[in-house]
Amino acid sequence: MGSYVLKRLLSVVLVIFIVSTATFVLMHAIPGGPFKREKALPPAIQRNIEERYKLNDPLWKQYVDYIGNLFRGDLGPSYKYLGRSVNDIIREGFPISAQLGLASVAFALLLGIPCGIISALKQNRWQDNIIMAVAIIGVSVPSFVMATLLMYVFAVKLRWLPAAMWGTPKHIVLPVLALAGFPTAFFARLMRSSTLDVLSQDYIRTARSKGLSWAAVVYKHVIKNAILPVVTYLGPLVAGIVTGSFVVENIFAIPGLGRYYVTSIYNRDYTTIMGVTIFYSALLVLLNFAVDIAYGWIDPRIKLTDAKE
Amino acid sequence: MRMRRSMLLLACFMTFLLIAPTGFAAEKLAKKQVLSFNVGTEPSTLDPAISTGVPEAIIELNCFEGLTRMDENNVPQPAIAESWTVSPNGLLYTFKLRKTKWSNGEPLTAHDFEWSWKRALAPETASEYAYQLWYIKNGRAYNEGALKDPSQVGVRAVDDYTLQVMLENPTPYFLQLCNFPTLMPVYRKVVEKDPEGWFYEPKNYIGNGPYKMVSWQHNAKIELVPNPNYWNRQKVGMERLDFYLIDDINTALSMFETGQLDWFDAPPTAEIERLEKQGYLKKSEYIGTYYYMFNVTKKPLDDVRVRKALTLAIDRQTLIDRVVRGGQLPALAYVPYGLGDATPDKDFREIGGDYFKEDLAAARKLLADAGYPNGKGFPTLTILYNTSENHKKIAEAIQEMWKKNLGIDVRLTNQEWQVYLDSRTQLAYEVARAGWIGDYLDPMTFLDMWVTGGGNNDTGWGNKKYDEMIFGAQAEVDRTKRAKMLHEAETVLMNEMPIMPIYFYVNLTVIKPWIKGAFRSPLGFIDFSTAYVLEH
């Protein structure tokens, strides 16, 4: 187990290194630059700026400097938000996105899993039909449509909730619903199919035939065995959702991290592109790692060792 | 102009109301003098010497005050400078300063201006708008690094309250520039302590304007309250300004409708008509021109007859009414309305008049003369625009007009913003969409960009006579002669037509009817110092 963890952690570092190198090469390969404007700058002023932000160094030197700083945990200064560091941007935006994201995941789990189980238990009956019909809508309606619709109905028309911004519990409701739509529906469908799969297993028949009630069977045997696919999906989902959604944060004017994944590229804000990409990939790799550990805990048949051990 | 005067009267009336112990029945003020405005985006910086955008400028102009401040008629008025004299050759300005204070109560002197301007020019400050100070003697040389000694830059505090400024050329718009963010004084102690990020902490954001910042939630909101040490404090009637930093205009519209927001700019095109009917839409002058550029180094656009034919063959009014919407003005010349001529009360555009008429017969004849009768043999043209629904619709309409009126085939290509800018500078296009918004209120801000090899002249076009007129006008003291040269330059530009003017911008804003007294300059800046809220 110990050597497994160590190996996995080493691979995390390797992955981050590869991701940052690839991002660095790609972002410098596209035309433009952080200080390229519609109104062309006089060459002397362009030079002053490149000098100040060290953009006139050869690319390999910029790369070596960046990786050096990265090892010290310094993601560099933003080229768009002058005087702010990328560390600051992540430190301020991430907690907000994480709050929103975790609330959405919690909502999705609490609603999606029971719905999936009910659907499976009542397969092809009206409960199943309704849940699956709603789930299809949830999976196929994109979040920007959902967000706009929710805002129009609950803020503009009914005036129950504020249209946008962040800060009070009232502000969190609509974005959570918009963001949780897809994962809730997805969890419900996933849980339904894996529950159906488990229900057809011999040990369930055995449990039933030894006189256990349906409730006890579902609680003791079905959920535990059916939840594995949900846990697998949870890793990348959490990584994606807690780092923020550009669409939902933009529509609800939430000052999270999500916007930077898109705007930093428009702005050619090189350090921010690098920073948020590295942050996201680190989180993704670590959460996948956490999911693997969780497997062993949920299902002892899965052993976390190298093949040869 | 008439409307502006009435606004001025209103503002006077309002000041009277504020001073009067009890209000009049006609205009009752709201109990809470608070308003919320969407500045549109998270500021890149709030260091006035470094910032470049309109959102930043709006915040800075309400937290700082320059030597002058623009009035409702866009004429520079005494502000921190109480008076000034100009030498007969138009080069030496002597400003007499008021005894005023920074928002922290420290005295503000002429030395602060001298230091701030030299800081903005210093190469290591890397200010993008430093060229707004190139008008000052040796300003450019110092900024470019050719001159190392800042004491030779033409700005000097003679004593605590006298500032002398020597210019390179007589610059009729210099007093206007004194109201531009780059020329605002900044508080030396905080700037020197943290040159990169001094403006982030509200307590360090020490200014000298009507308001001061009390909080800044990134990507959300900036709050301003009146600056108790502002020299003209009694003029400021608001208790608080909430500046929202929202990018999405549909979100801003929803917030406006739910009452979270009082005022925002650039409403979605589809909603303009409805908002106008509801009485929320306000239009104001905005000095900008939307045009297409021709790459004159490429066939068949190297032929002026082809460029003219294309320019004459579109129907601008229909384009504005059906596609652009919002009451923009058809551009039959390049320089927009709202800029002064020989004297500021005359409009440069009105004096210059139109340079061409839309005329299908003439367009077809020009095309035939160029060797393409009825568009026969004319190669397929490509219009390049940066990815945006509005630019796309305009390009589609023009594509159709050229096809129908001239019989030529046009393809459309869109590119992401930075890629598009790159294609423009590389001249890797045939016809490209462009827009230009002035930096100051003078025709020069539109015309000097088309000199041969100019940094913004992405057409490959150049003309000796044009260059002579522009450089001549820059050095000319006599306003009448100067205006004449600028008109001549525009005549050359419109005869040669490296660009095809399409429309002049207007500023579209959506505002609750009870918000009064704030006014917007044609540069897009808003002065909130005289704003007030009526009971509603």
Side-chain angles (χ1 to χ4, degrees):
Chain A
M1 180 84 184
S3 79
Y4 172 79
V5 170
L6 195 72
K7 271 195 176 165
R8 281 298 295 261
L9 282 176
L10 268 177
S11 80
V12 167
V13 174
L14 188 70
V15 165
I16 290 171
F17 178 75
I18 292 170
V19 165
S20 45
T21 307
T23 313
F24 189 90
V25 171
L26 284 174
M27 77 185 180
H28 281 285
I30 49 176
F35 295 97
K36 183 105 192 191
R37 305 278 189 253
E38 180 165 31
K39 291 189 178 177
L41 293 173
I45 291 180
Q46 191 81 42
R47 243 191 348 264
N48 288 343
I49 289 168
E50 283 171 2
E51 189 80 24
R52 173 169 167 167
Y53 297 100
K54 299 206 174 79
L55 289 163
N56 53 356
D57 284 347
L59 270 188
W60 65 264
K61 188 169 184 308
Q62 291 186 40
Y63 175 73
V64 172
D65 287 349
Y66 186 84
I67 297 293
N69 290 333
L70 182 62
F71 270 102
R72 284 190 294 275
D74 176 5
L75 297 170
S78 163
Y79 294 134
K80 166 73 183 172
Y81 302 105
L82 304 175
R84 275 176 90 191
S85 69
V86 178
N87 294 55
D88 282 342
I89 287 177
I90 293 176
R91 199 177 302 131
E92 283 163 20
F94 178 61
I96 294 171
S97 292
Q99 219 178 326
L100 178 60
L102 289 176
S104 306
V105 173
F107 180 91
L109 287 174
L110 289 175
L111 189 67
I113 290 177
C115 281
I117 296 170
I118 293 169
S119 253
L121 294 177
K122 308 277 179 188
Q123 195 189 2
N124 294 333
R125 274 189 269 164
W126 64 268
Q127 295 95 329
D128 182 30
N129 291 339
I130 290 178
I131 290 172
M132 281 305 112
V134 174
I136 283 175
I137 297 174
V139 171
S140 45
V141 174
S143 58
F144 70 90
V145 175
M146 191 75 132
T148 315
L149 214 64
L150 287 167
M151 190 195 285
Y152 183 73
V153 174
F154 293 101
V156 178
K157 284 288 142 193
L158 298 172
R159 304 286 170 99
W160 291 352
L161 293 161
M165 302 302 287
W166 189 248
T168 69
K170 272 189 168 181
H171 287 103
I172 205 170
V173 179
L174 295 180
V176 162
L177 290 178
L179 207 52
F182 179 83
T184 310
F186 194 78
F187 281 153
R189 288 163 61 96
L190 207 59
M191 199 62 197
R192 177 180 182 270
S193 61
S194 67
T195 305
L196 285 175
D197 198 36
V198 171
L199 286 175
S200 67
Q201 299 289 324
D202 290 344
Y203 57 85
I204 299 294
R205 213 180 323 137
T206 312
R208 278 294 281 163
S209 58
K210 75 179 183 189
L212 275 184
S213 69
W214 256 124
V217 172
V218 168
Y219 181 72
K220 282 198 176 145
H221 300 285
V222 177
I223 294 183
K224 213 170 171 186
N225 283 295
I227 208 153
L228 272 181
V230 172
V231 174
T232 313
Y233 176 59
L234 210 52
L237 173 81
V238 169
I241 215 166
V242 298
T243 46
S245 143
F246 169 71
V247 170
V248 170
E249 289 182 5
N250 197 42
I251 291 179
F252 289 106
I254 295 166
L257 195 59
R259 67 180 66 226
Y260 293 104
Y261 291 93
V262 178
T263 56
S264 65
I265 298 171
Y266 285 143
N267 296 328
R268 302 291 191 272
D269 188 351
Y270 293 145
T271 38
T272 308
I273 297 176
M274 293 292 286
V276 294
T277 309
I278 291 170
F279 180 72
Y280 173 71
S281 37
L283 205 66
L284 182 65
V285 185
L286 286 173
L287 278 166
N288 273 335
F289 181 32
V291 164
D292 288 350
I293 304 266
Y295 278 160
W297 174 67
I298 294 172
D299 187 346
R301 287 171 301 182
I302 300 171
K303 285 208 179 68
L304 296 179
T305 46
D306 288 327
K308 47 178 192 265
E309 276 182 56
Chain B
M1 281 299 140
R2 218 170 292 139
M3 193 195 78
R4 290 233 183 86
R5 211 161 291 140
S6 67
M7 270 175 65
L8 180 70
L9 275 174
L10 234 163
C12 292
F13 179 59
M14 148 67 203
T15 322
F16 177 56
L17 272 185
L18 275 182
I19 298 163
T22 49
F24 278 81
E27 269 203 325
K28 225 171 155 206
L29 289 179
K31 282 218 178 63
K32 267 174 77 185
Q33 291 292 309
V34 176
L35 80 80
S36 51
F37 169 71
N38 182 27
V39 295
T41 193
E42 164 83 3
S44 266
T45 165
L46 282 181
D47 184 337
I50 289 176
S51 80
T52 54
V54 171
E56 288 85 355
I58 290 175
I59 300 166
E60 288 155 358
L61 289 175
N62 285 289
C63 291
F64 291 88
E65 185 153 292
L67 294 169
T68 62
R69 191 170 264 276
M70 302 289 258
D71 67 9
E72 297 87 337
N73 304 310
N74 305 305
V75 180
Q77 298 295 340
I80 298 301
E82 137 186 272
S83 64
W84 52 80
T85 55
V86 188
S87 65
N89 63 3
L91 293 179
L92 181 69
Y93 283 68
T94 310
F95 293 96
K96 202 84 200 129
L97 270 57
R98 268 178 236 279
K99 291 199 166 66
T100 59
K101 287 176 180 166
W102 291 101
S103 56
N104 64 352
E106 294 287 316
L108 168 80
T109 67
H111 298 281
D112 289 312
F113 277 93
E114 183 187 337
W115 184 81
S116 303
W117 290 11
K118 285 180 177 168
R119 165 185 179 258
L121 279 171
E124 58 275 15
T125 306
S127 165
E128 287 180 50
Y129 258 138
Y131 60 79
Q132 295 281 47
L133 280 161
W134 283 9
Y135 302 99
I136 296 172
K137 183 103 198 139
N138 288 329
R140 178 173 188 165
Y142 178 53
N143 184 232
E144 289 187 334
L147 174 80
K148 299 284 174 211
D149 177 14
S151 70
Q152 288 186 47
V153 175
V155 53
R156 191 167 65 92
V158 179
D159 58 49
D160 278 358
Y161 295 101
T162 312
L163 187 74
Q164 248 181 16
V165 183
M166 187 63 138
L167 302 184
E168 288 274 356
N169 282 311
T171 310
Y173 45 91
F174 181 68
L175 288 172
Q176 269 185 48
L177 290 176
C178 290
N179 179 52
F180 200 83
T182 323
L183 279 76
M184 294 292 149
V186 288
Y187 189 66
R188 184 171 181 172
K189 276 183 211 155
V190 289
V191 176
E192 281 184 336
K193 221 165 128 196
D194 180 9
E196 309 276 331
W198 62 273
F199 47 87
Y200 278 116
E201 274 298 318
K203 71 169 173 17
N204 289 338
Y205 201 55
I206 292 163
N208 67 331
Y211 296 94
K212 61 172 193 174
M213 179 162 76
V214 284
S215 76
W216 181 354
Q217 286 170 270
H218 293 296
N219 292 309
K221 193 161 117 178
I222 287 179
E223 285 180 341
L224 305 185
V225 297
N227 166 12
N229 287 310
Y230 180 48
W231 69 273
N232 205 357
R233 171 71 184 89
Q234 76 277 4
K235 186 177 76 165
V236 184
M238 295 299 299
E239 288 161 45
R240 202 179 76 225
L241 299 177
D242 292 340
F243 283 163
Y244 284 91
L245 316 173
I246 297 162
D247 294 284
D248 191 313
I249 46 171
N250 290 302
T251 304
L253 176 62
S254 294
M255 288 175 68
F256 180 81
E257 289 181 6
T258 58
Q260 266 180 295
L261 196 63
D262 295 325
W263 187 356
F264 73 101
D265 284 340
T269 313
E271 305 285 346
I272 289 175
E273 217 166 296
R274 174 176 67 88
L275 291 164
E276 191 160 26
K277 271 194 200 129
Q278 292 174 329
Y280 293 132
L281 189 80
K282 253 201 198 167
K283 295 175 191 177
S284 64
E285 216 160 48
Y286 193 27
I287 49 158
T289 307
Y290 188 100
Y291 57 92
Y292 276 7
M293 299 192 292
F294 297 124
N295 179 353
V296 304
T297 64
K298 280 210 172 138
K299 270 191 178 322
L301 297 165
D302 56 343
D303 188 333
V304 65
R305 288 169 300 190
V306 170
R307 303 200 293 265
K308 276 195 172 151
L310 293 170
T311 307
L312 300 189
I314 62 167
D315 178 352
R316 290 166 177 76
Q317 194 61 53
T318 307
L319 186 74
I320 290 165
D321 293 342
R322 302 241 179 101
V323 182
V324 192
R325 303 204 221 159
Q328 289 79 0
L329 298 166
L332 302 171
Y334 172 60
V335 177
Y337 291 93
L339 302 169
D341 202 80
T343 52
D345 57 315
K346 292 270 189 329
D347 191 278
F348 183 85
R349 179 73 286 121
E350 278 166 20
I351 303 245
D354 293 342
Y355 276 99
F356 56 89
K357 268 208 315 269
E358 289 162 0
D359 183 342
L360 290 188
R364 288 192 192 114
K365 183 165 184 307
L366 280 164
L367 202 64
D369 290 349
Y372 310 101
N374 297 320
K376 262 196 207 89
F378 198 87
T380 305
L381 272 188
T382 305
I383 298 178
L384 169 71
Y385 57 93
N386 56 298
T387 312
S388 130
E389 202 46 43
N390 291 339
H391 298 326
K392 182 178 165 209
K393 284 187 197 147
I394 293 169
E396 283 169 350
I398 288 176
Q399 176 186 38
E400 203 189 302
M401 288 174 185
W402 281 348
K403 173 79 194 166
K404 199 176 119 219
N405 299 339
L406 297 176
I408 61 173
D409 288 315
V410 177
R411 253 199 315 256
L412 306 184
T413 316
N414 65 318
Q415 289 177 349
E416 185 260 357
W417 179 244
Q418 295 256 354
V419 181
Y420 149 87
L421 288 183
D422 200 58
S423 302
R424 267 173 56 170
T425 33
Q426 309 278 339
L427 290 183
Y429 73 92
E430 290 173 337
V431 181
R433 165 272 139 183
W436 188 260
I437 309 289
D439 285 333
Y440 47 85
L441 298 176
D442 190 275
M444 189 63 94
T445 188
F446 282 85
L447 291 167
D448 68 355
M449 62 190 280
W450 299 112
V451 297
T452 310
N456 284 300
N457 182 355
D458 295 334
T459 59
W461 178 80
N463 180 292
K464 229 173 136 201
K465 181 164 180 226
Y466 187 86
D467 298 351
E468 271 168 30
M469 288 300 132
I470 296 298
F471 297 131
Q474 282 171 347
E476 183 58 62
V477 189
D478 186 303
R479 298 277 186 103
T480 315
K481 281 190 198 152
R482 177 177 183 273
K484 201 166 156 258
M485 285 192 243
L486 291 175
H487 281 299
E488 263 176 62
E490 195 185 19
T491 309
V492 173
L493 186 72
M494 288 292 96
N495 280 338
E496 293 266 312
M497 238 156 229
I499 52 166
M500 168 178 108
I502 299 174
Y503 65 79
F504 298 132
Y505 287 93
V506 291
N507 193 300
L508 296 175
T509 204
V510 178
I511 183 169
K512 293 277 159 72
W514 50 82
I515 306 293
K516 303 276 179 187
F519 61 89
R520 185 192 293 268
S521 93
L523 297 173
F525 304 160
I526 305 175
D527 189 337
F528 284 92
S529 59
T530 48
Y532 60 100
V533 186
L534 292 180
E535 202 173 52
H536 53 274

